[in-house]
Tab-separated table of all heavy atoms in Angstrom:
chain	number	residue	atom	x	y	z
A	128	MET	N	-19.527	-31.253	25.268
A	128	MET	CA	-19.636	-30.229	24.241
A	128	MET	C	-20.650	-30.692	23.201
A	128	MET	O	-20.517	-31.744	22.613
A	128	MET	CB	-18.261	-30.039	23.627
A	128	MET	CG	-18.145	-28.820	22.793
A	128	MET	SD	-16.422	-28.638	22.256
A	128	MET	CE	-16.217	-26.953	22.554
A	129	ASN	N	-21.693	-29.923	23.016
A	129	ASN	CA	-22.714	-30.355	22.074
A	129	ASN	C	-22.489	-29.703	20.705
A	129	ASN	O	-21.595	-28.889	20.509
A	129	ASN	CB	-24.117	-30.035	22.615
A	129	ASN	CG	-24.286	-28.549	22.901
A	129	ASN	OD1	-23.609	-27.734	22.317
A	129	ASN	ND2	-25.196	-28.229	23.799
A	130	ALA	N	-23.313	-30.044	19.753
A	130	ALA	CA	-23.154	-29.578	18.372
A	130	ALA	C	-23.368	-28.070	18.250
A	130	ALA	O	-22.764	-27.421	17.410
A	130	ALA	CB	-24.127	-30.314	17.468
A	131	ALA	N	-24.200	-27.492	19.075
A	131	ALA	CA	-24.471	-26.052	19.001
A	131	ALA	C	-23.242	-25.239	19.396
A	131	ALA	O	-23.008	-24.150	18.888
A	131	ALA	CB	-25.650	-25.698	19.889
A	132	THR	N	-22.429	-25.758	20.286
A	132	THR	CA	-21.238	-25.007	20.706
A	132	THR	C	-20.096	-25.176	19.704
A	132	THR	O	-19.259	-24.303	19.598
A	132	THR	CB	-20.751	-25.484	22.081
A	132	THR	OG1	-21.614	-26.433	22.643
A	132	THR	CG2	-20.567	-24.357	23.011
A	133	ARG	N	-20.057	-26.231	18.995
A	133	ARG	CA	-18.975	-26.465	18.027
A	133	ARG	C	-19.192	-25.697	16.749
A	133	ARG	O	-18.230	-25.363	16.077
A	133	ARG	CB	-18.882	-27.945	17.717
A	133	ARG	CG	-18.399	-28.740	18.929
A	133	ARG	CD	-18.145	-30.145	18.564
A	133	ARG	NE	-16.987	-30.156	17.666
A	133	ARG	CZ	-16.378	-31.222	17.268
A	133	ARG	NH1	-16.807	-32.394	17.668
A	133	ARG	NH2	-15.345	-31.172	16.467
A	134	LYS	N	-20.428	-25.402	16.389
A	134	LYS	CA	-20.710	-24.745	15.114
A	134	LYS	C	-20.070	-23.352	15.019
A	134	LYS	O	-19.438	-23.065	14.017
A	134	LYS	CB	-22.217	-24.671	14.878
A	134	LYS	CG	-22.568	-24.196	13.498
A	134	LYS	CD	-24.046	-24.308	13.224
A	134	LYS	CE	-24.322	-23.915	11.791
A	134	LYS	NZ	-25.712	-24.065	11.443
A	135	PRO	N	-20.182	-22.488	16.034
A	135	PRO	CA	-19.519	-21.177	15.929
A	135	PRO	C	-18.003	-21.296	15.777
A	135	PRO	O	-17.378	-20.486	15.120
A	135	PRO	CB	-19.891	-20.480	17.232
A	135	PRO	CG	-21.165	-21.112	17.651
A	135	PRO	CD	-21.043	-22.549	17.190
A	136	ASP	N	-17.414	-22.324	16.403
A	136	ASP	CA	-15.984	-22.528	16.254
A	136	ASP	C	-15.618	-22.815	14.801
A	136	ASP	O	-14.629	-22.300	14.293
A	136	ASP	CB	-15.511	-23.682	17.140
A	136	ASP	CG	-15.588	-23.336	18.630
A	136	ASP	OD1	-15.592	-22.134	18.960
A	136	ASP	OD2	-15.656	-24.279	19.435
A	137	ARG	N	-16.397	-23.595	14.126
A	137	ARG	CA	-16.129	-23.914	12.722
A	137	ARG	C	-16.330	-22.686	11.844
A	137	ARG	O	-15.564	-22.466	10.911
A	137	ARG	CB	-17.035	-25.053	12.258
A	137	ARG	CG	-16.635	-26.371	12.824
A	137	ARG	CD	-17.482	-27.475	12.290
A	137	ARG	NE	-17.097	-28.742	12.900
A	137	ARG	CZ	-17.711	-29.871	12.683
A	137	ARG	NH1	-18.753	-29.914	11.870
A	137	ARG	NH2	-17.284	-30.977	13.262
A	138	ILE	N	-17.343	-21.893	12.146
A	138	ILE	CA	-17.584	-20.670	11.375
A	138	ILE	C	-16.424	-19.693	11.581
A	138	ILE	O	-15.924	-19.089	10.635
A	138	ILE	CB	-18.931	-20.038	11.765
A	138	ILE	CG1	-20.080	-20.937	11.311
A	138	ILE	CG2	-19.075	-18.651	11.161
A	138	ILE	CD1	-21.435	-20.497	11.810
A	139	LEU	N	-15.973	-19.558	12.803
A	139	LEU	CA	-14.849	-18.682	13.096
A	139	LEU	C	-13.586	-19.139	12.382
A	139	LEU	O	-12.856	-18.329	11.802
A	139	LEU	CB	-14.606	-18.627	14.613
A	139	LEU	CG	-13.449	-17.741	15.077
A	139	LEU	CD1	-13.697	-16.289	14.686
A	139	LEU	CD2	-13.264	-17.882	16.572
A	140	ILE	N	-13.338	-20.423	12.392
A	140	ILE	CA	-12.166	-20.969	11.688
A	140	ILE	C	-12.287	-20.707	10.192
A	140	ILE	O	-11.299	-20.340	9.540
A	140	ILE	CB	-12.011	-22.472	11.993
A	140	ILE	CG1	-11.578	-22.657	13.457
A	140	ILE	CG2	-11.004	-23.123	11.053
A	140	ILE	CD1	-11.575	-24.095	13.923
A	141	ALA	N	-13.468	-20.858	9.628
A	141	ALA	CA	-13.671	-20.602	8.200
A	141	ALA	C	-13.434	-19.126	7.866
A	141	ALA	O	-12.783	-18.805	6.870
A	141	ALA	CB	-15.071	-21.020	7.777
A	142	ILE	N	-13.923	-18.231	8.709
A	142	ILE	CA	-13.737	-16.794	8.469
A	142	ILE	C	-12.256	-16.430	8.570
A	142	ILE	O	-11.716	-15.712	7.718
A	142	ILE	CB	-14.582	-15.968	9.468
A	142	ILE	CG1	-16.070	-16.126	9.139
A	142	ILE	CG2	-14.179	-14.505	9.435
A	142	ILE	CD1	-16.998	-15.518	10.181
A	143	LEU	N	-11.573	-16.915	9.595
A	143	LEU	CA	-10.151	-16.624	9.753
A	143	LEU	C	-9.326	-17.220	8.623
A	143	LEU	O	-8.350	-16.615	8.163
A	143	LEU	CB	-9.661	-17.132	11.114
A	143	LEU	CG	-10.219	-16.393	12.330
A	143	LEU	CD1	-9.740	-17.045	13.617
A	143	LEU	CD2	-9.848	-14.926	12.296
A	144	SER	N	-9.703	-18.383	8.156
A	144	SER	CA	-9.004	-19.000	7.024
A	144	SER	C	-9.181	-18.166	5.758
A	144	SER	O	-8.231	-17.983	4.985
A	144	SER	CB	-9.509	-20.417	6.780
A	144	SER	OG	-9.249	-21.224	7.894
A	145	ALA	N	-10.380	-17.662	5.540
A	145	ALA	CA	-10.631	-16.821	4.364
A	145	ALA	C	-9.822	-15.528	4.434
A	145	ALA	O	-9.245	-15.087	3.435
A	145	ALA	CB	-12.125	-16.515	4.243
A	146	ILE	N	-9.747	-14.929	5.609
A	146	ILE	CA	-8.960	-13.704	5.783
A	146	ILE	C	-7.481	-13.994	5.529
A	146	ILE	O	-6.800	-13.227	4.841
A	146	ILE	CB	-9.192	-13.106	7.178
A	146	ILE	CG1	-10.619	-12.570	7.287
A	146	ILE	CG2	-8.172	-12.017	7.491
A	146	ILE	CD1	-11.013	-12.144	8.692
A	147	ALA	N	-6.980	-15.081	6.061
A	147	ALA	CA	-5.582	-15.448	5.859
A	147	ALA	C	-5.288	-15.684	4.378
A	147	ALA	O	-4.246	-15.257	3.861
A	147	ALA	CB	-5.234	-16.688	6.676
A	148	LEU	N	-6.197	-16.327	3.689
A	148	LEU	CA	-6.023	-16.571	2.257
A	148	LEU	C	-5.987	-15.260	1.483
A	148	LEU	O	-5.140	-15.067	0.600
A	148	LEU	CB	-7.147	-17.467	1.735
A	148	LEU	CG	-7.100	-17.786	0.242
A	148	LEU	CD1	-5.856	-18.606	-0.082
A	148	LEU	CD2	-8.359	-18.522	-0.184
A	149	LEU	N	-6.862	-14.322	1.835
A	149	LEU	CA	-6.861	-13.015	1.166
A	149	LEU	C	-5.560	-12.257	1.417
A	149	LEU	O	-5.024	-11.621	0.506
A	149	LEU	CB	-8.055	-12.184	1.629
A	149	LEU	CG	-9.424	-12.616	1.116
A	149	LEU	CD1	-10.518	-11.791	1.781
A	149	LEU	CD2	-9.492	-12.468	-0.393
A	150	VAL	N	-5.044	-12.331	2.611
A	150	VAL	CA	-3.777	-11.664	2.929
A	150	VAL	C	-2.636	-12.285	2.127
A	150	VAL	O	-1.809	-11.566	1.561
A	150	VAL	CB	-3.493	-11.736	4.450
A	150	VAL	CG1	-2.073	-11.319	4.764
A	150	VAL	CG2	-4.485	-10.875	5.202
A	151	ILE	N	-2.601	-13.585	2.040
A	151	ILE	CA	-1.546	-14.268	1.284
A	151	ILE	C	-1.619	-13.909	-0.196
A	151	ILE	O	-0.601	-13.616	-0.828
A	151	ILE	CB	-1.622	-15.794	1.498
A	151	ILE	CG1	-1.225	-16.126	2.935
A	151	ILE	CG2	-0.748	-16.548	0.511
A	151	ILE	CD1	-1.500	-17.553	3.346
A	152	VAL	N	-2.811	-13.888	-0.756
A	152	VAL	CA	-2.980	-13.522	-2.164
A	152	VAL	C	-2.567	-12.077	-2.390
A	152	VAL	O	-1.873	-11.760	-3.368
A	152	VAL	CB	-4.438	-13.774	-2.628
A	152	VAL	CG1	-4.696	-13.151	-3.985
A	152	VAL	CG2	-4.729	-15.266	-2.659
A	153	ALA	N	-2.964	-11.170	-1.497
A	153	ALA	CA	-2.595	-9.757	-1.643
A	153	ALA	C	-1.080	-9.586	-1.586
A	153	ALA	O	-0.504	-8.836	-2.387
A	153	ALA	CB	-3.270	-8.928	-0.558
A	154	LEU	N	-0.407	-10.256	-0.663
A	154	LEU	CA	1.041	-10.169	-0.580
A	154	LEU	C	1.713	-10.729	-1.831
A	154	LEU	O	2.688	-10.160	-2.326
A	154	LEU	CB	1.543	-10.901	0.665
A	154	LEU	CG	1.247	-10.215	1.995
A	154	LEU	CD1	1.650	-11.115	3.153
A	154	LEU	CD2	1.973	-8.889	2.085
A	155	ALA	N	1.197	-11.821	-2.348
A	155	ALA	CA	1.766	-12.407	-3.561
A	155	ALA	C	1.629	-11.444	-4.737
A	155	ALA	O	2.566	-11.279	-5.523
A	155	ALA	CB	1.078	-13.732	-3.872
A	156	VAL	N	0.496	-10.794	-4.847
A	156	VAL	CA	0.288	-9.835	-5.936
A	156	VAL	C	1.238	-8.648	-5.803
A	156	VAL	O	1.860	-8.215	-6.773
A	156	VAL	CB	-1.186	-9.357	-5.974
A	156	VAL	CG1	-1.360	-8.160	-6.876
A	156	VAL	CG2	-2.089	-10.493	-6.415
A	157	VAL	N	1.383	-8.128	-4.612
A	157	VAL	CA	2.241	-6.958	-4.390
A	157	VAL	C	3.697	-7.283	-4.695
A	157	VAL	O	4.394	-6.502	-5.344
A	157	VAL	CB	2.086	-6.443	-2.939
A	157	VAL	CG1	3.179	-5.449	-2.583
A	157	VAL	CG2	0.720	-5.811	-2.757
A	158	PHE	N	4.171	-8.440	-4.261
A	158	PHE	CA	5.588	-8.756	-4.414
A	158	PHE	C	5.961	-9.331	-5.773
A	158	PHE	O	7.138	-9.428	-6.092
A	158	PHE	CB	6.044	-9.697	-3.307
A	158	PHE	CG	6.117	-9.025	-1.965
A	158	PHE	CD1	5.350	-9.477	-0.920
A	158	PHE	CD2	6.927	-7.919	-1.769
A	158	PHE	CE1	5.406	-8.854	0.330
A	158	PHE	CE2	6.986	-7.287	-0.542
A	158	PHE	CZ	6.232	-7.750	0.509
A	159	THR	N	4.998	-9.707	-6.591
A	159	THR	CA	5.320	-10.282	-7.896
A	159	THR	C	4.998	-9.367	-9.062
A	159	THR	O	5.254	-9.732	-10.199
A	159	THR	CB	4.578	-11.615	-8.113
A	159	THR	OG1	3.173	-11.385	-8.036
A	159	THR	CG2	5.007	-12.660	-7.106
A	160	ARG	N	4.474	-8.195	-8.820
A	160	ARG	CA	4.092	-7.356	-9.961
A	160	ARG	C	5.247	-6.570	-10.543
A	160	ARG	O	5.128	-5.984	-11.601
A	160	ARG	CB	2.941	-6.435	-9.597
A	160	ARG	CG	3.258	-5.414	-8.572
A	160	ARG	CD	2.074	-4.568	-8.278
A	160	ARG	NE	2.467	-3.593	-7.277
A	160	ARG	CZ	1.802	-2.541	-6.977
A	160	ARG	NH1	0.671	-2.319	-7.586
A	160	ARG	NH2	2.228	-1.703	-6.088
A	161	GLY	N	6.390	-6.509	-9.893
A	161	GLY	CA	7.575	-5.887	-10.464
A	161	GLY	C	7.619	-4.380	-10.305
A	161	GLY	O	6.871	-3.792	-9.532
A	162	GLN	N	8.504	-3.771	-11.073
A	162	GLN	CA	8.744	-2.328	-11.007
A	162	GLN	C	7.624	-1.569	-11.703
A	162	GLN	O	7.129	-1.984	-12.744
A	162	GLN	CB	10.081	-2.030	-11.693
A	162	GLN	CG	10.666	-0.697	-11.383
A	162	GLN	CD	11.122	-0.571	-9.939
A	162	GLN	OE1	10.285	-0.454	-9.066
A	162	GLN	NE2	12.400	-0.597	-9.723
A	163	THR	N	7.248	-0.429	-11.121
A	163	THR	CA	6.215	0.385	-11.750
A	163	THR	C	6.806	1.174	-12.912
A	163	THR	O	7.993	1.493	-12.924
A	163	THR	CB	5.599	1.368	-10.739
A	163	THR	OG1	6.636	2.191	-10.217
A	163	THR	CG2	4.901	0.648	-9.618
A	164	GLU	N	5.970	1.496	-13.861
A	164	GLU	CA	6.385	2.245	-15.036
A	164	GLU	C	6.581	3.710	-14.656
A	164	GLU	O	5.742	4.305	-13.994
A	164	GLU	CB	5.309	2.119	-16.110
A	164	GLU	CG	5.577	2.918	-17.348
A	164	GLU	CD	4.410	2.867	-18.324
A	164	GLU	OE1	3.602	1.932	-18.238
A	164	GLU	OE2	4.316	3.782	-19.150
A	165	ALA	N	7.713	4.288	-15.088
A	165	ALA	CA	7.969	5.705	-14.818
A	165	ALA	C	7.078	6.555	-15.710
A	165	ALA	O	7.040	6.383	-16.927
A	165	ALA	CB	9.434	6.026	-15.065
A	166	LEU	N	6.331	7.463	-15.089
A	166	LEU	CA	5.432	8.335	-15.841
A	166	LEU	C	6.178	9.572	-16.314
A	166	LEU	O	7.237	9.923	-15.795
A	166	LEU	CB	4.249	8.729	-14.951
A	166	LEU	CG	3.404	7.565	-14.416
A	166	LEU	CD1	2.400	8.075	-13.406
A	166	LEU	CD2	2.711	6.851	-15.556
A	167	ASP	N	5.614	10.262	-17.302
A	167	ASP	CA	6.206	11.476	-17.841
A	167	ASP	C	6.248	12.551	-16.757
A	167	ASP	O	5.231	12.860	-16.138
A	167	ASP	CB	5.388	11.948	-19.044
A	167	ASP	CG	5.981	13.168	-19.725
A	167	ASP	OD1	7.144	13.520	-19.430
A	167	ASP	OD2	5.274	13.772	-20.554
A	168	GLY	N	7.432	13.128	-16.526
A	168	GLY	CA	7.616	14.116	-15.475
A	168	GLY	C	6.896	15.425	-15.703
A	168	GLY	O	6.796	16.240	-14.786
A	169	SER	N	6.384	15.649	-16.908
A	169	SER	CA	5.666	16.898	-17.177
A	169	SER	C	4.171	16.788	-16.879
A	169	SER	O	3.443	17.773	-16.988
A	169	SER	CB	5.876	17.324	-18.636
A	169	SER	OG	5.314	16.360	-19.512
A	170	THR	N	3.725	15.598	-16.504
A	170	THR	CA	2.314	15.411	-16.165
A	170	THR	C	2.143	15.466	-14.652
A	170	THR	O	3.098	15.213	-13.911
A	170	THR	CB	1.803	14.044	-16.670
A	170	THR	OG1	2.507	13.006	-15.979
A	170	THR	CG2	2.004	13.885	-18.169
A	171	PRO	N	0.961	15.785	-14.173
A	171	PRO	CA	0.730	15.792	-12.723
A	171	PRO	C	1.017	14.431	-12.082
A	171	PRO	O	1.599	14.356	-11.001
A	171	PRO	CB	-0.741	16.166	-12.585
A	171	PRO	CG	-1.061	16.925	-13.825
A	171	PRO	CD	-0.208	16.303	-14.902
A	172	GLN	N	0.657	13.361	-12.767
A	172	GLN	CA	0.898	12.022	-12.233
A	172	GLN	C	2.394	11.753	-12.105
A	172	GLN	O	2.851	11.160	-11.125
A	172	GLN	CB	0.261	10.953	-13.138
A	172	GLN	CG	-1.232	11.011	-13.190
A	172	GLN	CD	-1.747	11.948	-14.299
A	172	GLN	OE1	-0.995	12.706	-14.893
A	172	GLN	NE2	-3.037	11.907	-14.540
A	173	GLY	N	3.178	12.206	-13.084
A	173	GLY	CA	4.620	12.015	-13.052
A	173	GLY	C	5.270	12.800	-11.926
A	173	GLY	O	6.202	12.328	-11.275
A	174	VAL	N	4.787	14.022	-11.700
A	174	VAL	CA	5.323	14.847	-10.618
A	174	VAL	C	5.039	14.192	-9.267
A	174	VAL	O	5.925	14.106	-8.405
A	174	VAL	CB	4.749	16.281	-10.677
A	174	VAL	CG1	5.151	17.075	-9.447
A	174	VAL	CG2	5.202	16.985	-11.943
A	175	VAL	N	3.833	13.707	-9.081
A	175	VAL	CA	3.477	13.035	-7.823
A	175	VAL	C	4.324	11.779	-7.647
A	175	VAL	O	4.822	11.505	-6.551
A	175	VAL	CB	1.973	12.699	-7.781
A	175	VAL	CG1	1.636	11.792	-6.613
A	175	VAL	CG2	1.156	13.966	-7.732
A	176	GLN	N	4.535	11.036	-8.736
A	176	GLN	CA	5.352	9.821	-8.652
A	176	GLN	C	6.786	10.163	-8.250
A	176	GLN	O	7.371	9.525	-7.382
A	176	GLN	CB	5.334	9.103	-9.996
A	176	GLN	CG	6.088	7.784	-9.987
A	176	GLN	CD	6.109	7.138	-11.350
A	176	GLN	OE1	6.378	7.798	-12.347
A	176	GLN	NE2	5.813	5.847	-11.389
A	177	ARG	N	7.360	11.192	-8.843
A	177	ARG	CA	8.735	11.571	-8.521
A	177	ARG	C	8.839	12.135	-7.103
A	177	ARG	O	9.798	11.862	-6.389
A	177	ARG	CB	9.256	12.567	-9.548
A	177	ARG	CG	9.640	11.868	-10.843
A	177	ARG	CD	9.833	12.844	-11.985
A	177	ARG	NE	10.229	12.200	-13.215
A	177	ARG	CZ	9.471	11.408	-13.968
A	177	ARG	NH1	8.236	11.142	-13.584
A	177	ARG	NH2	9.916	10.876	-15.079
A	178	TYR	N	7.853	12.926	-6.697
A	178	TYR	CA	7.845	13.461	-5.337
A	178	TYR	C	7.763	12.318	-4.328
A	178	TYR	O	8.522	12.284	-3.352
A	178	TYR	CB	6.662	14.420	-5.149
A	178	TYR	CG	6.483	14.872	-3.723
A	178	TYR	CD1	7.305	15.852	-3.176
A	178	TYR	CD2	5.509	14.308	-2.908
A	178	TYR	CE1	7.166	16.260	-1.860
A	178	TYR	CE2	5.362	14.705	-1.593
A	178	TYR	CZ	6.185	15.684	-1.081
A	178	TYR	OH	6.050	16.072	0.225
A	179	SER	N	6.857	11.372	-4.558
A	179	SER	CA	6.698	10.236	-3.645
A	179	SER	C	7.977	9.409	-3.573
A	179	SER	O	8.389	8.988	-2.489
A	179	SER	CB	5.540	9.349	-4.093
A	179	SER	OG	4.345	10.071	-4.107
A	180	THR	N	8.613	9.183	-4.710
A	180	THR	CA	9.860	8.425	-4.733
A	180	THR	C	10.941	9.137	-3.936
A	180	THR	O	11.678	8.515	-3.166
A	180	THR	CB	10.329	8.201	-6.186
A	180	THR	OG1	9.306	7.500	-6.893
A	180	THR	CG2	11.609	7.407	-6.244
A	181	ALA	N	11.035	10.459	-4.090
A	181	ALA	CA	12.029	11.232	-3.353
A	181	ALA	C	11.770	11.163	-1.845
A	181	ALA	O	12.705	11.016	-1.050
A	181	ALA	CB	12.042	12.674	-3.830
A	182	VAL	N	10.504	11.249	-1.445
A	182	VAL	CA	10.168	11.186	-0.017
A	182	VAL	C	10.511	9.814	0.543
A	182	VAL	O	11.114	9.695	1.615
A	182	VAL	CB	8.676	11.524	0.212
A	182	VAL	CG1	8.253	11.201	1.628
A	182	VAL	CG2	8.414	12.986	-0.101
A	183	ILE	N	10.162	8.760	-0.176
A	183	ILE	CA	10.439	7.394	0.283
A	183	ILE	C	11.940	7.155	0.378
A	183	ILE	O	12.422	6.510	1.308
A	183	ILE	CB	9.759	6.360	-0.642
A	183	ILE	CG1	8.245	6.436	-0.468
A	183	ILE	CG2	10.276	4.954	-0.376
A	183	ILE	CD1	7.459	5.662	-1.502
A	184	ASP	N	12.702	7.706	-0.578
A	184	ASP	CA	14.157	7.533	-0.578
A	184	ASP	C	14.853	8.440	0.428
A	184	ASP	O	16.062	8.333	0.620
A	184	ASP	CB	14.720	7.794	-1.971
A	184	ASP	CG	14.310	6.723	-2.971
A	184	ASP	OD1	13.893	5.634	-2.544
A	184	ASP	OD2	14.420	6.982	-4.193
A	185	GLY	N	14.112	9.364	1.042
A	185	GLY	CA	14.710	10.267	2.019
A	185	GLY	C	15.447	11.433	1.384
A	185	GLY	O	16.227	12.113	2.047
A	186	ASP	N	15.216	11.696	0.114
A	186	ASP	CA	15.875	12.784	-0.608
A	186	ASP	C	15.030	14.057	-0.463
A	186	ASP	O	14.223	14.386	-1.326
A	186	ASP	CB	16.044	12.396	-2.078
A	186	ASP	CG	16.867	13.387	-2.872
A	186	ASP	OD1	17.298	14.401	-2.298
A	186	ASP	OD2	17.078	13.128	-4.070
A	187	THR	N	15.219	14.760	0.638
A	187	THR	CA	14.372	15.928	0.920
A	187	THR	C	14.616	17.073	-0.045
A	187	THR	O	13.689	17.820	-0.353
A	187	THR	CB	14.581	16.421	2.364
A	187	THR	OG1	15.970	16.684	2.564
A	187	THR	CG2	14.108	15.396	3.371
A	188	ALA	N	15.838	17.220	-0.535
A	188	ALA	CA	16.117	18.306	-1.483
A	188	ALA	C	15.312	18.127	-2.760
A	188	ALA	O	14.696	19.079	-3.263
A	188	ALA	CB	17.612	18.367	-1.781
A	189	THR	N	15.298	16.914	-3.286
A	189	THR	CA	14.532	16.650	-4.499
A	189	THR	C	13.036	16.754	-4.221
A	189	THR	O	12.300	17.319	-5.024
A	189	THR	CB	14.868	15.250	-5.058
A	189	THR	OG1	16.278	15.180	-5.312
A	189	THR	CG2	14.119	14.968	-6.336
A	190	ALA	N	12.593	16.228	-3.087
A	190	ALA	CA	11.171	16.306	-2.744
A	190	ALA	C	10.734	17.762	-2.621
A	190	ALA	O	9.671	18.135	-3.125
A	190	ALA	CB	10.901	15.556	-1.454
A	191	ASN	N	11.552	18.595	-1.978
A	191	ASN	CA	11.201	20.011	-1.832
A	191	ASN	C	11.193	20.747	-3.161
A	191	ASN	O	10.482	21.737	-3.315
A	191	ASN	CB	12.164	20.699	-0.856
A	191	ASN	CG	11.877	20.325	0.574
A	191	ASN	OD1	10.772	19.897	0.907
A	191	ASN	ND2	12.873	20.470	1.426
A	192	SER	N	11.948	20.268	-4.138
A	192	SER	CA	11.968	20.939	-5.442
A	192	SER	C	10.634	20.808	-6.165
A	192	SER	O	10.342	21.594	-7.074
A	192	SER	CB	13.100	20.385	-6.306
A	192	SER	OG	12.809	19.077	-6.755
A	193	TYR	N	9.831	19.843	-5.792
A	193	TYR	CA	8.522	19.660	-6.417
A	193	TYR	C	7.424	20.466	-5.729
A	193	TYR	O	6.305	20.531	-6.223
A	193	TYR	CB	8.134	18.174	-6.429
A	193	TYR	CG	8.973	17.353	-7.366
A	193	TYR	CD1	9.924	16.458	-6.893
A	193	TYR	CD2	8.832	17.488	-8.735
A	193	TYR	CE1	10.701	15.720	-7.750
A	193	TYR	CE2	9.602	16.747	-9.613
A	193	TYR	CZ	10.538	15.872	-9.116
A	193	TYR	OH	11.321	15.143	-9.979
A	194	LEU	N	7.731	21.098	-4.594
A	194	LEU	CA	6.742	21.869	-3.848
A	194	LEU	C	6.784	23.333	-4.244
A	194	LEU	O	7.825	23.857	-4.637
A	194	LEU	CB	6.997	21.749	-2.345
A	194	LEU	CG	6.911	20.347	-1.755
A	194	LEU	CD1	7.324	20.392	-0.290
A	194	LEU	CD2	5.521	19.778	-1.909
A	195	THR	N	5.646	24.000	-4.089
A	195	THR	CA	5.639	25.459	-4.256
A	195	THR	C	6.345	26.063	-3.061
A	195	THR	O	6.546	25.418	-2.041
A	195	THR	CB	4.195	25.995	-4.350
A	195	THR	OG1	3.554	25.732	-3.100
A	195	THR	CG2	3.418	25.380	-5.484
A	196	GLU	N	6.709	27.352	-3.166
A	196	GLU	CA	7.392	27.997	-2.046
A	196	GLU	C	6.502	28.034	-0.805
A	196	GLU	O	6.985	27.839	0.315
A	196	GLU	CB	7.845	29.399	-2.442
A	196	GLU	CG	8.998	29.360	-3.420
A	196	GLU	CD	9.739	30.684	-3.486
A	196	GLU	OE1	9.725	31.433	-2.494
A	196	GLU	OE2	10.336	30.922	-4.549
A	197	ALA	N	5.202	28.279	-0.995
A	197	ALA	CA	4.286	28.316	0.146
A	197	ALA	C	4.201	26.946	0.828
A	197	ALA	O	4.244	26.844	2.055
A	197	ALA	CB	2.909	28.764	-0.313
A	198	ALA	N	4.096	25.891	0.040
A	198	ALA	CA	4.017	24.543	0.597
A	198	ALA	C	5.343	24.156	1.240
A	198	ALA	O	5.372	23.521	2.291
A	198	ALA	CB	3.634	23.552	-0.473
A	199	SER	N	6.436	24.538	0.622
A	199	SER	CA	7.755	24.210	1.155
A	199	SER	C	7.996	24.901	2.502
A	199	SER	O	8.589	24.302	3.406
A	199	SER	CB	8.833	24.616	0.160
A	199	SER	OG	10.099	24.249	0.635
A	200	SER	N	7.503	26.126	2.655
A	200	SER	CA	7.699	26.827	3.928
A	200	SER	C	6.902	26.190	5.057
A	200	SER	O	7.294	26.264	6.217
A	200	SER	CB	7.324	28.308	3.782
A	200	SER	OG	5.929	28.430	3.588
A	201	LEU	N	5.809	25.537	4.731
A	201	LEU	CA	5.011	24.854	5.754
A	201	LEU	C	5.673	23.552	6.214
A	201	LEU	O	5.390	23.067	7.297
A	201	LEU	CB	3.611	24.540	5.221
A	201	LEU	CG	2.719	25.749	4.929
A	201	LEU	CD1	1.432	25.285	4.252
A	201	LEU	CD2	2.419	26.502	6.207
A	202	CYS	N	6.562	22.996	5.387
A	202	CYS	CA	7.205	21.729	5.720
A	202	CYS	C	8.482	21.894	6.506
A	202	CYS	O	9.044	20.936	7.001
A	202	CYS	CB	7.524	20.955	4.435
A	202	CYS	SG	6.051	20.417	3.551
A	203	SER	N	8.976	23.106	6.627
A	203	SER	CA	10.257	23.317	7.321
A	203	SER	C	10.113	23.273	8.804
A	203	SER	O	9.194	23.542	9.416
A	203	SER	CB	10.836	24.666	6.927
A	203	SER	OG	11.079	24.654	5.534
């Protein structure tokens, strides 16, 4: 095995190590940032936040309450 064949292996290991480090940092940030702040329910952002929370929690009645009748009929 000569030096030319070993060099790509080292570059590949460096790239994979960098990707692994980025994944670890991203996971650490996601799991340590805590609870998100509840937004005002009268704002569009608050409505989207509450709708998303209801969908994630499996509360379809609450999620459907945030939809218009036309949108709700498309989801049935």
Side-chain angles (χ1 to χ4, degrees):
M128 193 175 225
N129 58 25
T132 355
R133 292 188 67 172
K134 189 172 184 177
D136 291 338
R137 287 183 182 176
I138 292 172
L139 180 62
I140 290 172
I142 291 172
L143 292 176
S144 298
I146 291 171
L148 179 65
L149 287 174
V150 168
I151 291 169
V152 169
L154 288 173
V156 167
V157 167
F158 289 120
T159 60
R160 65 180 180 165
Q162 197 68 286
T163 58
E164 176 186 338
L166 301 172
D167 183 13
S169 64
T170 64
Q172 295 89 349
V174 172
V175 170
Q176 183 183 46
R177 283 166 179 70
Y178 172 78
S179 300
T180 301
V182 169
I183 291 169
D184 291 342
D186 187 359
T187 55
T189 302
N191 285 338
S192 72
Y193 290 108
L194 299 175
T195 64
E196 289 198 27
S199 183
S200 68
L201 294 173
C202 294
S203 298

